[in-house]
Amino acid sequence: MDQVTVVPVCQDAVMVQERSKFPPRLGFPAATVRPGERTVDAAVRALAAETWLTATSDELHDIGRYGDVEAFALILDETPRLKSSDDANGAAWVEITPNLWRVLSGDDGEILRVAIRLAGGEES
């Protein structure tokens, strides 16, 4: 099954979550694509369900495919309040620092690096 992940990011901060349904790790809102659902619509659904952030499909930037995961970025001008769902706890905005991408597992580090570049931020 295809998966999606969404990276909410602005120039100096990114939203990360402590994932609770997986081995403990930092990550981003994610979902399984339902039959007949477009990947971008699954990304919009995941974002709303896990953070209460709302976006339209036109506001998401397709970062690319990483294995069976299609990654998207939501580029924001500021860091709105977040609310964690039951799927994730500890959703928070964290400052973008050099090598932040290294604390993420799997492809999430590279996905973050691309999202930061799209947002006009600096990454190392």
Side-chain angles (χ1 to χ4, degrees):
M1 284 230 150
D2 284 342
Q3 303 283 318
V4 295
T5 191
V6 185
V7 183
V9 64
C10 62
Q11 274 194 314
D12 59 355
V14 62
M15 193 236 48
V16 295
Q17 298 173 308
E18 181 182 333
R19 305 300 301 178
S20 59
K21 288 188 174 180
F22 308 100
R25 67 177 181 92
L26 295 178
F28 308 111
T32 299
V33 180
R34 296 174 179 160
E37 184 178 36
R38 296 184 313 159
T39 56
V40 69
D41 294 331
V44 167
R45 176 174 51 82
L47 188 65
E50 294 192 16
T51 67
W52 291 45
L53 292 176
T54 57
T56 65
S57 59
D58 291 338
E59 293 174 300
L60 296 182
H61 301 267
D62 192 336
I63 292 175
R65 192 157 193 83
Y66 297 81
D68 65 347
V69 176
E70 188 75 21
F72 295 87
L74 174 63
I75 311 300
L76 300 163
D77 294 327
E78 58 184 26
T79 54
R81 277 185 85 160
L82 299 172
K83 181 173 181 176
S84 291
S85 74
D86 291 339
D87 284 346
N89 43 65
W93 290 101
V94 297
E95 181 182 357
I96 295 172
T97 58
N99 301 316
L100 171 63
W101 60 273
R102 292 179 191 231
V103 301
L104 300 169
S105 62
D107 291 322
D108 284 350
E110 182 58 28
I111 291 167
L112 173 61
R113 292 178 72 171
V114 174
I116 291 169
R117 284 194 299 268
L118 282 173
E122 293 185 27
E123 51 88 20
S124 296

